[in-house]
């Protein structure tokens, strides 16, 4: 039995055209299968909504911290280990896998325009953050820093977790990497010039030593610093940043308590060359 090769060729070309049309149709609808096996689309679940603002223009910013099992969890970490990590020389060395979504415009409760970002973390790690306030503050801090680095933002650390809202806007799909490059964003120092600075020795004391903490006292040794005029100190509600010009010392660490930054007091002893920062604790 003979076969007409021209008919076979025509059928093959017709099949290829149909496949191409189907691919273009899927692409138009936004459902084209990814040819990159290293990424996939996920639809995260709402978690918690954090309200803050942009320092540059004082505009409201909402961060939707979502959850998905498609995002890998970070390494196991206890509360004690997290405290040690925040006091270490390189707290950014601990990686929290997360997916940072594109900004989208929404309306707040006052029908005013605002910007919202979606951050997706592992579902089990999110549940851990819900049970432990220190982990919750840590993941919010990492999320804000991740958004700042990705979108060149400067966000206020005076945030608020909304009690009656888990998400602002509509949950949308995100494209995450499944292998090769990790989805975690490792934060780099924002000021390369500070790399030549030394990290001074310091200690953290809690007063009183037992019971509920009332004050957090940082004692920072600064040999070679003649006076407080060369010091630049920034006390945040959970962070302390100190620079001794010109590029002599640089200290940047997160502490395990929320403090009253406006009532904090710093005193530099020029004879011992020790800076003492006393910070009233408002929450532990």
């Amino acid at each position: 039995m003979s076969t007409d090769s021209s008919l076979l060729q025509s059928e093959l070309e017709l099949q290829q055209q149909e496949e191409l049309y189907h691919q273009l149709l899927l692409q138009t609808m936004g459902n084209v299968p990814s040819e990159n096996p290293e990424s996939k689309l996920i639809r995260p679940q709402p978690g918690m909504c954090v309200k803050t603002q942009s320092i540059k223009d004082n505009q409201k910013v909402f961060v939707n911290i979502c959850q998905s099992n498609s995002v890998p969890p970070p390494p196991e970490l206890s509360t004690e280990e997290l405290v040690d990590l925040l006091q270490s020389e390189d707290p950014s060395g601990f990686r929290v896998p997360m997916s940072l979504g594109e900004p989208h415009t929404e309306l707040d409760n006052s029908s005013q325009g605002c910007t919202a970002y979606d951050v997706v973390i592992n579902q089990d790690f999110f549940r851990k953050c819900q049970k432990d306030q220190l982990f919750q503050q840590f993941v919010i801090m990492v999320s804000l820093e991740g958004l700042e680095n990705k979108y060149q933002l400067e966000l206020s650390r005076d945030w608020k977790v909304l009690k009656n809202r888990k998400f602002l806007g509509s949950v949308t799909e995100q494209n995450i990497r499944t292998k090769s490059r990790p989805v975690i964003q490792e934060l780099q120092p924002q000021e390369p010039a500070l790399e030549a600075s030394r990290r001074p020795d310091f200690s953290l004391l809690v007063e009183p030593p037992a019971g509920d903490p009332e004050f957090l006292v940082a004692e920072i040794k600064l040999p070679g610093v003649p006076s407080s005029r060369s010091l630049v100190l920034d006390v945040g509600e959970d962070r302390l940043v100190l620079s001794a010009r010109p590029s002599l010392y640089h200290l940047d660490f997160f502490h395990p308590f929320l403090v009253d930054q406006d009532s904090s007091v710093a005193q530099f002893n020029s004879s011992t060359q020790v800076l003492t920062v006393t910070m009233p604790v408002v929450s532990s």
Side-chain angles (χ1 to χ4, degrees):
M1 179 178 176
S2 61
T3 304
D4 189 344
S5 60
S6 62
L7 290 177
L8 291 177
Q9 184 69 23
S10 298
E11 290 178 356
L12 179 61
E13 291 176 354
L14 180 60
Q15 182 180 2
Q16 291 175 341
Q17 290 176 358
E18 290 178 348
E19 291 177 352
L20 178 60
Y21 172 78
H22 182 64
Q23 186 80 0
L24 291 174
L25 180 61
L26 288 176
Q27 186 173 1
T28 302
M29 297 173 62
N31 297 324
V32 59
S34 174
E35 296 181 358
N36 182 8
E38 297 178 355
S39 64
K40 67 176 181 180
L41 284 175
I42 65 168
R43 182 175 290 275
Q45 298 297 317
M48 62 178 172
C49 185
V50 180
K51 177 183 176 182
T52 182
Q53 65 180 16
S54 170
I55 294 179
K56 182 178 180 180
D57 52 15
N58 292 325
Q59 295 297 311
K60 292 181 182 178
V61 174
F62 292 85
V63 180
N64 298 314
I65 299 182
C66 310
Q67 49 185 319
S68 173
N69 281 330
S70 297
V71 177
E76 280 295 325
L77 192 70
S78 67
T79 303
E80 293 75 17
E81 289 171 333
L82 178 57
V83 172
D84 293 338
L85 172 71
L86 295 176
Q87 296 179 3
S88 66
E89 294 186 5
D90 185 20
S92 64
F94 181 79
R95 300 183 175 186
V96 179
M98 59 177 54
S99 175
L100 305 175
E102 298 290 330
H104 50 97
T105 303
E106 303 293 343
L107 293 178
D108 61 13
N109 289 336
S110 304
S111 298
Q112 299 295 318
C114 60
T115 303
Y117 296 86
D118 302 341
V119 177
V120 188
I121 63 174
N122 177 264
Q123 190 170 54
D124 293 335
F125 184 63
F126 174 82
R127 291 171 180 168
K128 184 175 184 178
C129 295
Q130 290 293 88
K131 297 177 182 178
D132 191 309
Q133 185 182 15
L134 182 60
F135 272 91
Q136 183 183 88
Q137 294 172 359
F138 173 68
V139 79
I140 293 174
M141 174 193 71
V142 173
S143 298
L144 295 181
E145 291 187 355
L147 292 171
E148 287 178 330
N149 279 264
K150 184 173 182 178
Y151 296 110
Q152 287 76 53
L153 304 172
E154 190 175 1
L155 301 174
S156 171
R157 293 304 187 267
D158 185 17
W159 68 67
K160 177 182 179 182
V161 179
L162 303 185
K163 295 182 178 180
N164 300 319
R165 184 187 288 271
K166 294 183 178 181
F167 196 93
L168 182 66
S170 301
V171 179
T172 58
E173 292 181 333
Q174 284 201 29
N175 191 32
I176 68 168
R177 292 183 175 271
T178 56
K179 57 183 180 178
S180 185
R181 258 187 347 191
V183 294
I184 175 64
Q185 197 165 3
E186 185 174 359
L187 306 179
Q188 300 296 328
Q190 297 182 351
E191 299 184 27
L194 296 176
E195 294 179 357
S197 303
R198 289 181 292 166
R199 181 182 173 89
D201 293 331
F202 73 99
S203 61
L204 283 177
L205 305 175
V206 177
E207 296 292 345
D212 294 333
E214 297 181 6
F215 295 95
L216 182 66
V217 181
E219 295 184 349
I220 308 168
K221 299 179 180 179
L222 300 169
V225 175
S227 72
S228 60
R229 295 181 180 179
S230 62
L231 300 178
V232 178
L233 176 65
D234 183 11
V235 176
E237 62 179 8
D238 64 347
R239 183 180 186 180
L240 186 148
V241 181
L242 172 69
S243 296
R245 297 175 294 187
S247 300
L248 183 59
Y249 293 105
H250 182 69
L251 179 64
D252 185 350
F253 70 90
F254 293 90
H255 44 75
F257 303 104
L258 291 181
V259 302
D260 185 351
Q261 57 200 79
D262 295 329
S263 300
S264 298
V265 177
Q267 184 176 13
F268 180 70
N269 189 322
S270 57
S271 59
T272 60
Q273 297 180 326
V274 173
L275 176 69
T276 302
V277 186
T278 304
M279 300 163 280
V281 175
V282 297
S283 176
S284 59

